[in-house]
Amino acid sequence: MYQIAKVKSETRGKVHWMALQEADQLVIFGISGDLAKKMTIPSLYRLERRELLKLPILGVAFDAWTEEQFIAHARESVETVEGSVDDAVFTRLADRITYIHGDFTDDALYQEISKQINGKKAPCFYLEIPPGLFVVVAQNLAKADLLHGDARVVFEKPFGTDYDSAKQLNDDLHKIMREDQVFRLDHYLGKDQVQDILYVRFSNTFFEPLWDRHYVDSIMITMAEDFGVEDRGSFYDKVGTLRDVVQNHLLQTLSLVTMEVPTDDFAITRYDLFRTIPSLEPEQVVRGQYEGYQEIKGVAENSDTETFIAAKFKINSLRWSGVPVFIRAGKNMPVKATEVVVRMKMLPPFVINGRLRASRWYDDVVFRLGSKPGLNMAIRVKQPGLDKMEPVELNLDFQQAEGGTPEPYEVLLMGAIHGVRALFPDEGTIEETWRIVQPVIDNPPPVISYKSGTWGPDEAQKMTEKHGGWREPTI
Ligand code: BG6
């Protein structure tokens, strides 16, 4: 079962060549939900402000609201997230939205959708609904003849809960639509700062030639959150950190740090990289749970769900063999920060000016992926007036240098509308990432308790000792 998943070559061939035409209608299932309130509606508003929206939007939900009620709700959501509402922009957005409600399993709803979007050749359906309804809705769309030609469907995460369920979901969807119509959303791939890793790596002479086992000692990825599970207890307790952020966000991030240059088709390059990563060994994993987690509403008594994980991965490729990749992620950590550290090997001792010098520090290239995106590295320079070298920090702030960046949901909504598949994991990638984490799902090491505000269990600290230890995030 943990064999490397085979990707149907006929599907991959098509992915490579077929470009969907720009969508002429957006249909959002679950538009009255929490995710839409926090992310989708504010993102649509920002796209409207940037004058990028050109198509009508049909909102579909369970809630029996009138259109006026929905528009009032949308306005409130924009106000909460943005702090204020530009009336002209909001009116433009409201004018393109129609709201209908109904039961997602009822044929009548799909007849109504059909009527509403009559004549559209390339509708984009975005399903931000419970994953248990993905196949049902897709089947109903197909039954109503809405998945023809250039229609596409965007699936909000999670896409499967383990290898088997993800594979089953892929197989079920392929009975209904082509792979090039399936867009699986991972909001990390919509972050400009995450995509930027690839551009920085490949477009700079002082990075590109050094990016391999000859010069890199190790790679460390940290995703730390300084808050707990709070009101998401019942969701989180069934999921845990490995499924919540490692299988998806952090492995996708790792792919951008380590993949070959994707000359054309990201799906193939990403897939090739994941194929070289062996499945995780449970002995190389530390799971933690913060003290007090079990008192949270919705968390099972004696729950052994992890709220922290640290794991050591390998990559068996000519570029990376022998370079360990450490990933850690956790709730209630000392800070909120996500960053990638590419740790370069130390130089051997050498003589300058008659004295033997030995490096005392690793050279780290740090990509900050959180709220202050940027890049950090240190250059060793001679201390003024002394025959000594010390590192001087270079701290690049991408926002200052390049201006504000769009939010991930803006990028991904536009990506789906324009059919940019590079921004979405394909079927092979999804199955490979689940294959990589599956042994830990099957045989999880015991959870070790840790205090909130610390970096998790000591065992996780020890994991990187031979490689200079984890780096404290540079916020
Ligand atoms: C979500 C997880 O997918 O990503 C959350 O379900 C996590 O638990 C969030 O907090 C982190 O996203 P970001 O963009 O804030 O790093």
Side-chain angles (χ1 to χ4, degrees):
M1 171 170 136
Y2 313 132
Q3 297 304 306
I4 285 168
K6 285 205 181 67
V7 166
K8 300 172 195 78
S9 55
E10 70 275 16
T11 314
R12 297 181 73 205
K14 280 183 199 158
V15 171
H16 188 78
W17 292 110
M18 291 182 62
L20 296 176
Q21 76 169 73
E22 186 177 335
D24 51 5
Q25 170 80 51
L26 183 58
V27 181
I28 304 179
F29 279 74
I31 200 164
S32 63
D34 208 43
L35 181 68
K37 186 170 163 191
K38 290 191 181 131
M39 300 287 178
T40 322
I41 298 169
S43 293
L44 289 171
Y45 171 82
R46 285 190 292 265
L47 288 171
E48 186 73 68
R49 190 168 58 199
R50 290 162 64 206
E51 300 188 0
L52 292 175
L53 280 184
K54 308 232 159 29
L55 72 190
I57 302 169
L58 176 65
V60 186
F62 277 126
D63 290 295
W65 297 347
T66 62
E67 195 157 289
E68 290 66 41
Q69 279 172 317
F70 173 72
I71 297 296
H73 165 88
R75 194 183 168 97
E76 198 186 303
S77 111
V78 173
E79 201 149 22
T80 313
V81 176
E82 291 287 296
S84 63
V85 184
D86 178 324
D87 281 330
V89 175
F90 188 79
T91 306
R92 277 201 326 263
L93 176 63
D95 284 350
R96 65 173 83 246
I97 299 181
T98 311
Y99 179 86
I100 60 173
H101 61 87
D103 176 349
F104 295 171
T105 61
D106 184 357
D107 284 352
L109 179 67
Y110 297 86
Q111 279 152 23
E112 179 60 23
I113 296 173
S114 229
K115 208 166 93 198
Q116 293 282 345
I117 69 171
N118 185 22
K120 291 295 180 344
K121 293 199 169 54
C124 173
F125 298 96
Y126 173 27
L127 311 191
E128 36 185 338
I129 57 177
L133 287 169
F134 284 169
V135 175
V136 176
V137 172
Q139 273 165 344
N140 281 319
L141 289 172
K143 207 162 119 196
D145 197 24
L146 291 166
L147 293 186
H148 46 70
D150 281 357
R152 72 217 66 180
V153 185
V154 183
F155 296 87
E156 184 55 55
K157 93 169 185 99
F159 199 89
T161 53
D162 59 10
Y163 177 84
D164 285 344
S165 59
K167 181 150 184 21
Q168 185 66 52
L169 185 51
N170 275 335
D171 291 349
D172 289 346
L173 293 178
H174 289 150
K175 287 183 196 134
I176 307 168
M177 62 186 101
R178 306 181 309 266
E179 169 64 12
D180 68 303
Q181 296 180 291
V182 182
F183 288 69
R184 304 167 185 82
L185 190 145
D186 182 324
H187 81 277
Y188 261 55
L189 289 178
K191 289 183 187 245
D192 244 35
Q193 57 268 40
V194 173
Q195 293 290 338
D196 213 2
I197 295 172
L198 208 62
Y199 293 84
V200 168
R201 273 182 63 192
F202 287 115
S203 53
N204 291 291
T205 315
F206 44 83
F207 289 133
E208 199 284 324
L210 306 184
W211 221 254
D212 64 18
R213 68 191 154 90
H214 299 293
Y215 294 97
V216 175
D217 170 89
S218 51
I219 297 171
M220 298 182 192
I221 302 181
T222 294
M223 177 181 176
E225 294 179 305
D226 58 356
F227 48 84
V229 171
E230 271 109 44
D231 55 349
R232 299 168 78 211
S234 59
F235 157 78
Y236 199 86
D237 203 42
K238 292 186 208 77
V239 177
T241 316
L242 181 71
R243 287 184 170 106
D244 189 37
V245 299
V246 176
Q247 173 272 332
N248 39 48
H249 307 331
L250 299 182
L251 285 182
Q252 291 298 333
T253 303
L254 175 63
S255 76
L256 296 178
V257 181
T258 53
M259 72 204 273
E260 298 304 318
V261 65
T263 40
D264 187 2
D265 193 330
F266 265 70
I268 292 176
T269 324
R270 249 198 304 253
Y271 175 75
D272 285 346
L273 182 267
F274 286 125
R275 283 181 61 108
T276 64
I277 303 184
S279 299
L280 259 182
E281 295 163 22
E283 307 75 59
Q284 304 291 350
V285 172
V286 174
R287 294 196 313 137
Q289 187 186 82
Y290 64 80
E291 287 174 8
Y293 171 74
Q294 297 192 7
E295 272 88 74
I296 292 172
K297 192 166 157 245
V299 171
E301 215 177 309
N302 300 323
S303 161
D304 84 334
T305 300
E306 77 280 356
T307 60
F308 170 92
I309 198 160
K312 181 179 174 187
F313 295 80
K314 283 187 212 153
I315 306 180
N316 288 333
S317 69
L318 281 174
R319 189 190 273 269
W320 293 115
S321 267
V323 179
V325 176
F326 301 97
I327 293 185
R328 67 174 169 173
K331 303 279 183 196
N332 273 348
M333 302 273 102
V335 293
K336 171 150 175 59
T338 303
E339 62 176 43
V340 172
V341 175
V342 177
R343 178 157 290 172
M344 311 310 281
K345 288 188 170 159
M346 281 193 199
L347 285 174
F350 62 99
V351 171
I352 302 186
N353 201 13
R355 273 180 56 191
L356 185 67
R357 326 280 167 150
S359 293
R360 283 179 287 135
W361 319 272
Y362 286 98
D363 293 326
D364 289 344
V365 179
V366 183
F367 293 90
R368 296 194 312 274
L369 307 179
S371 54
K372 297 221 175 76
L375 194 139
N376 277 73
M377 50 194 274
I379 303 282
R380 246 160 273 155
V381 299
K382 181 179 168 305
Q383 280 205 302
L386 299 175
D387 183 18
K388 252 177 102 179
M389 290 168 303
E390 286 295 335
V392 174
E393 286 279 325
L394 295 179
N395 185 346
L396 194 61
D397 180 332
F398 289 163
Q399 271 171 349
Q400 210 173 45
E402 297 162 352
T405 48
E407 292 293 322
Y409 278 85
E410 289 173 64
V411 174
L412 296 175
L413 282 169
M414 285 320 277
I417 288 169
H418 287 273
V420 186
R421 294 196 58 81
L423 292 169
F424 299 86
D426 75 323
E427 59 163 330
T429 299
I430 288 286
E431 288 174 20
E432 282 298 292
T433 47
W434 280 116
R435 190 263 307 154
I436 292 167
V437 301
Q438 187 65 42
V440 180
I441 295 177
D442 291 340
N443 289 304
V447 279
I448 306 167
S449 173
Y450 64 94
K451 283 200 179 345
S452 293
T454 67
W455 284 106
D458 288 347
E459 287 74 356
Q461 292 298 103
K462 289 189 197 123
M463 192 179 254
T464 54
E465 258 170 9
K466 278 200 216 136
H467 297 271
W470 297 99
R471 188 188 164 98
E472 288 283 308
T474 331
I475 305 167

